Each structure stands twice: as C-alpha cells, then as structure tokens.
Amino acid sequence: MAAAAAVAESVPGTRPGDGIPLEIAASYRTRTRGLLGRDGLDGAILLTPAASVHTFRMRFAIDVAYLDRRLRVLAVRTMPPGRLGLPRLRSRHVLEAEAGAMERWGLRAGLRVEVVAPSPAR
C-alpha cells in the first residue's frame, strides 16, 4: 500500500501541511484485504476504485466516506462489524477510518478530500 496524507478542504482547524496519515489501496489485492485482520488504524485507508464496502470479519466499527471522482464526499456512515454497505451512486472511492474519526476530523458531505504525497525525509 502506498502512503500519503489526506486533508479535507474547509475543515475548521486544518491548515496546509496538516494531514491525516493515509494508506492507499489501489490494487485488487490491497482493496480486498483492506482492514481485515487489523485491531485498529492510525489515520485512514483510501480504497480506489470502490463504490461499496463490507465489515464482515472485521474487529472494530469503521467510518466510511463515499467519494466521487473528484474526491468530494458524497456521504459519511458508521458501520459496525458484520455489515454490508450498499453501493453508492457516483461513488468512485471509499475512505475508511476507525469509528468516530471522521466526526473528529470534521469530514462531512460536500467537502473535498485532497491526497498529498509525503515530503521526502531530509
């Protein structure tokens, strides 16, 4: 999985350079694995392309943000383990995080998520 940072525009308290640790799951294998087998997540994981998710065999509840092709948030939902999320019309990507994280970050429908590559270590 590739590493990056995510920042949502127009979120109070965020500035350029602020970011949420982000894993990017772009291959079939990494999207299928997702958060299975983990006990938690520091930051978020972006599944791309994806229009729906499930929480079968997961150990914790997650927040799910459905994003369109321009990374604009269409909807945010919390899913407990053992659930199947229905596909979202216009969704091209799904952002997942531990339950409650997106509310703390102020992520809501209508905001756009920006994915930023990490700066090289000096």
Side-chain angles (χ1 to χ4, degrees), residues 70-92:
R70 292 186 179 93
L71 299 179
R72 189 157 306 274
V73 178
L74 300 172
V76 178
R77 301 287 181 262
T78 299
M79 293 178 61
R83 301 298 166 98
L84 176 63
L86 297 175
R88 281 278 167 183
L89 191 63
R90 297 187 349 259
S91 179
R92 298 294 179 268

Side-chain angles (χ1 to χ4, degrees), residues 27-102:
S27 72
Y28 176 77
R29 176 180 245 163
T30 57
R31 286 192 314 271
T32 302
R33 172 101 172 121
L35 297 175
L36 295 176
R38 297 191 193 191
D39 292 320
L41 176 66
D42 180 31
I45 184 170
L46 179 68
L47 307 176
T48 182
S52 67
V53 296
H54 69 82
T55 57
F56 298 122
R57 297 181 14 227
M58 290 193 56
R59 299 176 182 164
F60 56 98
I62 61 172
D63 284 345
V64 177
Y66 297 91
L67 311 175
D68 69 10
R69 64 182 176 183
R70 292 186 179 93
L71 299 179
R72 189 157 306 274
V73 178
L74 300 172
V76 178
R77 301 287 181 262
T78 299
M79 293 178 61
R83 301 298 166 98
L84 176 63
L86 297 175
R88 281 278 167 183
L89 191 63
R90 297 187 349 259
S91 179
R92 298 294 179 268
H93 317 279
V94 174
L95 189 67
E96 297 179 343
E98 286 191 25
M102 292 186 188

